[in-house]
């Protein structure tokens, strides 16, 4: 069956969409007048989000209609020339003239950077690999190594996969412990739980407890039963303190996970060395708080801890995320309702595919050229990005392809990033804006409107708090002057492969042939059955259908009548709910021995570094990051314009403001070991003393931008203050939270 699209040239019509902006994946309704989005509203009938949406999702119409949004390819005339509009044929002809040198003559010298939006769309999810393979490069980067890698590594070591994370079963828990997470603003991260406010309210209504550990009194902390205003970077010590209490008071129990877990006694022996009286002063909290949380967590009928960006983007990120899992395991809450459970992604994934002789441990399989930093999940650490361009020698990155990413504002040490971008020999960007990164490009290829895309978020179904399948088909065809993103990617692949005139459909058939063989193997049927059942589809719809039908709920290409197919989702635009998460031990494990080893050597060997950190001085100001309701990293500030630079203010505690002699509205220099920025002050008790905060994604300044609204209120670029050399040693992740800074009033 071929998906049909009604392309209305005039008149108003409404269609269901799934928001692609963040991990909540809320269901929306798009109202279009012809090809123009005239309204966006929550979809009350969506089986997962049930009428919830945030300001970002409801602002998608502004993003679609933004006058600064690119709708035509741009080519730069000459090395320092201006951009001019071009046809698609002109753009690809120029790429065909310049790109092959970095593939055939210097393999691997073309890097690829993908931003978060690329991970949320079908086209890059399904076709990026084809382009990267054609480029013959291992220099692949994304924000994952900036904001999630410590969590991925901890899960990889414990459970065998970096993407198959354990997820807090928040709809059934009695005690929820959140560390470094502000879901009432972020809508959740590595948790796909639309309507998080409703879910947290339900927790309170059933008599449950919410504890938030965060240096700032965030919106989520405000509604908690207990806010632990911890010193930045000490989450691992706090968690060891909890476990020490659990060990000392005999509160540990593996529960039903006991037959599958090794090493808990060793983990508790380590924790016993960090009792509350020892760690609490370093954490900046009362020891009694640690006792209260430990006893409450261990004594709750069902409890779960979850850590997010605040825990990942710190000096001991991997240790902190490991200890979150140890806490859950030690209290019998692994793989049980109301504890930490494993979703069943309907389109399949690492934790549903059959176990292989070589488990999918995707870490340190290769290393970066300059610092020999480890690969993780197919990518190099983003802190390598600038030095791989700036450092001479064989293998230097000379060319770059970016896809919906803005490394000039998303990666640490922005000054070095922009210097590196300026020294590239050739750069192609797939992007809808001329922003801080793409202003350095030679060619910019604009993606088509959201309404022309089918949407199914393959990655985020790994994080769902319920097993749900939802797909929204395209509402419009691409027009004659637009090009679908999968076509763009395959045309780039054709050029990189030395066959620039090869038809996109021909390459797609090759991609599909590989996918069909895999689907047949997963479904236990013949390739001919798969070919017959998938006839009539092409592009992303065909590849998604293959994954759904061979997935855990699939119809197995006819052998499981009534099972999941893309056609079923097309006819059910509000989605299909397969129910709450179910226990999956031991089949979910992909470790070498099929068991959970609670004390991986790589992590345990990092304990002495944590112990040594306890001797440091706690004087001085520490900088942390923060989320904002109307922002999504750096790229929504133009469509959802902010009224002034005050939205990017430096939050300062009143006690610190008095010492610094600053007041709300003052301008200050914020200086780290790397750089200095100027920001406006907002004095607020939201921050604990000794901690200041700037939001991420700002700094919309410099020449060449075509983002008029964001450039009018550029804000301060917090990433300019973050080091790309001093990193978390296990993962080479940058340290965004707990950055020592000085703050002085500008003269």
């Amino acid at each position: 069956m071929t998906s049909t699209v009604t392309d209305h040239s005039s008149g108003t019509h409404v269609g269901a969409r799934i928001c692609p902006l963040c991990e909540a994946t809320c269901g929306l309704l798009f109202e279009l007048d012809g090809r123009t989005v005239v309204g966006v509203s929550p979809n009350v009938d969506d089986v997962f989000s049930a009428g919830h949406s945030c300001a970002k999702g409801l602002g998608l119409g502004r993003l679609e209609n933004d006058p600064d949004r690119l709708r035509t390819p741009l080519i730069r005339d000459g090395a320092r020339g201006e951009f001019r509009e071009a046809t698609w044929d002109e753009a690809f002809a120029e790429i065909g003239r310049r790109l092959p040198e970095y593939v055939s003559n210097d393999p691997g010298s073309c890097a690829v950077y993908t931003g978060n939006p690329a991970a949320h769309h079908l086209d890059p999810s399904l076709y990026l690999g084809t382009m990267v393979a054609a480029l013959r490069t291992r220099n692949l980067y994304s924000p994952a190594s900036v904001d999630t890698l410590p969590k991925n590594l901890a899960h990889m070591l414990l459970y065998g996969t970096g993407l198959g994370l354990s997820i807090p079963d928040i709809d059934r828990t009695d005690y929820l412990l959140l560390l470094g997470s502000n879901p009432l603003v972020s809508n959740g991260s590595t948790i796909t739980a639309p309507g998080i406010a409703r879910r947290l309210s339900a927790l309170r209504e059933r008599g449950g407890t919410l504890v938030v550990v965060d240096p700032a009194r965030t919106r989520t902390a405000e509604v908690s039963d207990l806010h632990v205003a911890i010193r930045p970077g000490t989450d691992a010590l706090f968690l060891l303190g909890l476990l020490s209490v659990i060990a000392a008071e005999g509160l540990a129990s593996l529960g039903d996970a006991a037959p599958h877990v090794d090493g808990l006694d060793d983990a508790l022996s380590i924790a016993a060395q960090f009792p509350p009286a020892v760690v609490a002063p370093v954490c900046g909290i009362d020891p009694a708080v640690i006792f209260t949380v430990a006893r409450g967590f261990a004594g709750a009928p069902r409890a779960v801890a979850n850590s997010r960006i605040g825990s990942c983007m710190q000096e001991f990120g991997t240790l902190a995320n490991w200890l979150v899992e140890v806490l859950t395991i030690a209290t019998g809450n692994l793989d049980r309702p109301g504890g930490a459970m494993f979703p069943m992604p309907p389109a399949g994934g690492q934790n549903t595919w059959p176990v292989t002789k070589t488990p999918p441990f995707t870490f340190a399989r290769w290393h970066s050229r300059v610092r020999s930093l480890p690969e993780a999940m197919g990518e190099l650490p983003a802190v390598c990005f600038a030095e791989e361009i700036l450092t001479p020698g064989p293998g230097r990155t000379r060319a770059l392809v970016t896809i919906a990413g803005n490394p000039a504002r998303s990666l640490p040490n922005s000054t070095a990033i922009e210097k590196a971008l300026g020294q590239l020999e050739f750069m192609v960007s797939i992007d809808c804006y001329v922003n801080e990164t793409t202003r350095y490009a030679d060619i910019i290829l604009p993606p088509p409107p959201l309404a022309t895309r089918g949407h199914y978020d393959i990655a985020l179904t790994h994080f769902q708090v319920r097993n749900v399948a939802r797909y929204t088909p395209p509402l419009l065809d691409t027009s004659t002057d637009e090009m679908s993103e999968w076509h763009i990617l395959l045309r780039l692949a054709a050029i990189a492969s030395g066959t620039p005139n090869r038809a996109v459909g021909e390459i797609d058939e090759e991609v599909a042939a590989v996918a069909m063989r895999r689907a047949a193997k997963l479904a236990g049927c013949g390739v001919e059955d798969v070919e017959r059942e998938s006839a009539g589809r092409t592009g992303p719809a065909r590849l998604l259908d293959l994954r759904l039908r061979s997935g855990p709920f699939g119809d197995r290409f006819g052998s499981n009548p009534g099972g999941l197919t893309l056609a079923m989702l097309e006819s059910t635009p509000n989605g299909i709910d397969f129910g709450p998460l179910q226990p999956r031990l031991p089949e979910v494990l992909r470790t070498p021995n099929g068991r959970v080893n609670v004390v991986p050597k790589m992590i345990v060997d990092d304990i002495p570094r944590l112990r040594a950190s306890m001797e440091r001085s706690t004087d001085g100001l520490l900088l942390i990051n923060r989320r904002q309701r109307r922002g999504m990293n750096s790229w929504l500030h133009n469509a959802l314009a902010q009224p002034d630079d005050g939205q990017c203010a430096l939050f300062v505690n009143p006690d610190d403001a008095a010492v610094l002699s600053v007041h709300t509205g003052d301008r200050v220099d914020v200086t780290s070991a790397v750089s200095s920025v100027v920001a406006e002050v907002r004095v607020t008790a939201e921050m604990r003393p000794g901690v200041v905060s700037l939001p991420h994604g700002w700094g919309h300044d410099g020449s060449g931008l075509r983002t008029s609204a964001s450039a009018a209120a550029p804000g301060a670029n917090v990433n300019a203050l973050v080091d790309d050399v001093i990193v978390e040693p296990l993962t080479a992740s940058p340290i965004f939270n707990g950055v020592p800074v000085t703050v002085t009033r500008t003269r």
Side-chain angles (χ1 to χ4, degrees):
M1 174 182 176
T2 302
S3 175
T4 58
V5 178
T6 303
D7 194 357
H8 301 265
S9 58
S10 62
T12 300
H13 55 290
V14 177
R17 306 297 301 150
I18 298 171
C19 181
L21 292 179
C22 78
E23 293 170 53
T25 66
C26 296
L28 303 172
L29 296 175
F30 269 30
E31 181 181 359
L32 294 99
D33 185 356
R35 299 184 64 82
T36 302
V37 178
V38 295
V40 179
S41 59
N43 183 359
V44 297
D45 296 320
D46 185 279
V47 298
F48 200 16
S49 60
H52 176 268
S53 182
C54 73
K56 295 188 288 286
L58 297 179
L60 278 173
R62 296 185 184 181
L63 177 64
E64 291 287 88
N65 302 327
D66 189 345
D68 288 335
R69 182 182 178 121
L70 300 180
R71 305 181 190 280
T72 303
L74 299 181
I75 293 179
R76 187 184 301 281
D77 282 329
R80 296 185 179 275
E82 298 295 319
F83 282 120
R84 66 172 176 84
E85 292 188 353
T87 66
W88 287 98
D89 286 343
E90 285 180 291
F92 282 112
E94 181 66 5
I95 296 171
R97 185 178 70 84
R98 300 183 63 182
L99 180 62
E101 174 185 351
Y102 307 101
V103 182
S104 58
N105 297 337
D106 191 5
S109 64
C110 182
V112 177
Y113 181 91
T114 61
N116 279 334
H120 297 287
H121 287 289
L122 266 179
D123 293 23
S125 296
L126 295 171
Y127 289 96
L128 175 63
T130 302
M131 187 197 74
V132 172
L135 288 170
R136 299 164 60 191
T137 186
R138 284 181 167 179
N139 294 324
L140 179 63
Y141 305 95
S142 85
S145 62
V146 173
D147 61 18
T148 65
L149 189 49
K151 190 176 186 75
N152 297 132
L153 178 59
H155 280 75
M156 200 181 302
L157 291 167
L158 289 171
Y159 310 127
T161 68
L163 190 58
L165 307 182
S166 71
I167 302 301
D169 187 13
I170 60 176
D171 291 341
R172 293 182 288 185
T173 196
D174 300 297
Y175 196 108
L176 178 60
L177 173 63
L178 296 178
L179 298 97
S181 178
N182 184 14
L184 288 186
V185 171
S186 69
N187 295 306
S189 184
T190 63
I191 306 176
T192 299
I196 194 77
R198 180 178 69 243
R199 298 175 192 276
L200 294 182
S201 294
L203 166 68
R204 302 289 300 281
E205 289 168 4
R206 60 179 179 265
T209 300
L210 172 64
V211 177
V212 173
V213 180
D214 199 298
R217 188 162 183 81
T218 63
R219 287 188 66 215
T220 308
E222 287 176 354
V223 303
S224 69
D225 297 280
L226 175 63
H227 170 217
V228 182
I230 197 170
R231 181 175 288 118
T234 62
D235 298 60
L237 291 171
F238 173 78
L239 289 161
L240 283 167
L242 298 181
L243 285 163
S244 76
V245 174
I246 288 169
E249 299 187 359
L251 302 176
S253 172
L254 287 171
D256 292 342
H260 316 295
V261 175
D262 300 319
L264 179 60
D265 288 344
D266 293 333
L268 294 178
S269 295
I270 293 170
Q273 304 169 37
F274 297 86
V278 172
V279 300
V282 184
C283 296
I285 59 176
D286 190 322
V289 172
I290 296 179
F291 283 101
T292 297
V293 175
R295 292 165 180 164
F297 193 96
R302 302 168 296 182
V304 66
N306 186 69
S307 54
R308 198 43 204 108
I309 278 184
S311 70
C312 289
M313 302 169 74
Q314 61 174 268
E315 183 180 2
F316 299 100
T318 304
L319 280 173
N321 281 276
W322 164 64
L323 288 164
V324 165
E325 298 304 309
V326 176
L327 178 63
T328 298
I329 294 168
T331 52
N333 285 296
L334 178 65
D335 198 46
R336 62 175 294 203
M341 306 193 76
F342 298 92
M344 188 82 78
Q350 290 178 352
N351 73 2
T352 68
W353 293 330
V355 178
T356 62
K357 292 182 180 179
T358 305
F361 188 78
T362 52
F363 185 78
R365 295 172 296 175
W366 60 85
H367 294 77
S368 66
R369 175 182 66 103
V370 177
R371 266 189 283 174
S372 194
L373 297 179
E375 161 271 344
M377 300 173 68
E379 301 178 6
L380 288 178
V383 294
C384 301
F385 182 91
E387 67 191 21
E388 291 293 324
I389 299 170
L390 296 171
T391 305
R396 182 179 77 87
T397 296
R398 301 162 56 210
L400 176 68
V401 177
T402 69
I403 304 171
N406 188 6
R409 291 297 175 270
S410 295
L411 300 187
N413 195 353
S414 301
T415 301
I417 297 294
E418 294 210 49
K419 180 180 179 182
L421 291 172
Q423 292 193 17
L424 287 166
E425 297 173 15
F426 184 56
M427 178 175 166
V428 177
S429 293
I430 303 174
D431 208 292
C432 58
Y433 285 114
V434 181
N435 60 24
E436 295 78 23
T437 292
T438 60
R439 62 184 170 188
Y440 293 96
D442 296 281
I443 297 169
I444 306 179
L445 307 173
L450 288 176
T452 66
R453 306 168 180 228
H455 189 85
Y456 182 101
D457 206 315
I458 290 175
L460 296 189
T461 55
H462 289 76
F463 310 146
Q464 294 182 142
V465 296
R466 292 183 69 86
N467 290 317
V468 173
R470 297 177 299 158
Y471 173 77
T472 48
L475 299 177
L476 302 169
D477 282 320
T478 53
S479 67
T480 55
D481 57 353
E482 297 167 343
M483 184 174 291
S484 64
E485 201 162 358
W486 69 279
H487 274 242
I488 295 172
L489 292 169
L490 291 187
R491 289 200 65 173
L492 291 175
I495 291 170
S497 300
T499 55
N501 296 320
R502 194 175 183 202
V504 165
E506 185 179 331
I507 307 174
D508 186 38
E509 290 301 320
E510 287 188 357
V511 174
V514 173
M516 287 180 189
R517 290 194 294 271
R518 181 173 182 80
K521 185 176 181 179
L522 291 171
C525 63
V527 175
E528 63 279 2
D529 298 319
V530 177
E531 292 174 343
R532 180 185 66 253
E533 291 292 319
S534 62
R537 290 193 186 273
T538 61
R542 171 166 56 180
L543 298 185
L544 176 60
D545 190 40
L546 294 173
R547 290 195 57 162
L548 292 170
R549 300 178 79 161
S550 62
F553 304 105
D555 79 334
R556 301 292 192 272
F557 303 98
S559 65
N560 178 33
L564 185 62
T565 67
L566 182 56
M568 184 181 296
L569 293 182
E570 288 170 329
S571 64
T572 317
N574 296 318
I576 299 172
D577 186 350
F578 292 100
L581 307 184
Q582 299 296 321
R584 294 189 58 195
L585 286 179
E587 61 85 14
V588 72
L589 299 176
R590 295 298 185 271
T591 52
N593 65 355
R595 299 177 62 77
V596 178
N597 174 20
V598 179
V599 284
K601 184 177 186 303
M602 180 187 299
I603 291 181
V604 173
D605 285 350
D606 201 35
I607 294 288
R609 185 175 66 93
L610 176 66
R611 185 179 288 109
S613 73
M614 299 172 66
E615 304 302 321
R616 295 180 195 158
S617 169
T618 57
D619 295 335
L621 294 175
L622 297 177
L623 175 70
I624 65 171
N625 211 322
R626 72 174 184 266
R627 295 273 197 173
Q628 290 184 304
R629 296 182 66 189
R630 291 169 62 86
M632 188 66 193
N633 298 328
S634 66
W635 75 287
L636 287 188
H637 290 157
N638 201 68
L640 303 182
Q642 308 295 320
D644 53 55
D645 277 1
Q647 304 302 307
C648 188
L650 180 78
F651 283 11
V652 181
N653 179 272
D655 293 346
D656 296 319
V659 172
L660 297 168
S661 297
V662 298
H663 305 85
T664 293
D666 287 347
R667 307 284 286 179
V668 293
D669 290 312
V670 186
T671 304
S672 71
V674 179
S675 187
S676 181
V677 301
V678 177
E680 183 177 313
V681 168
R682 180 176 299 169
V683 179
T684 172
E686 292 179 33
M687 309 308 301
R688 65 162 282 151
V691 179
V692 295
S693 173
L694 280 172
H696 170 70
W698 292 77
H700 307 297
D701 49 21
S703 62
L705 298 179
R706 296 192 185 181
T707 50
S708 55
S710 61
N717 176 18
V718 68
N719 284 21
L721 302 172
V722 180
D723 205 331
D724 59 353
V725 175
I726 299 175
V727 296
E728 197 255 20
L730 275 70
T731 60
S733 296
I735 301 167
F736 279 81
N737 289 314
V739 178
V741 295
T742 59
V743 175
T744 56
R745 186 172 179 176
T746 59
R747 301 298 180 187

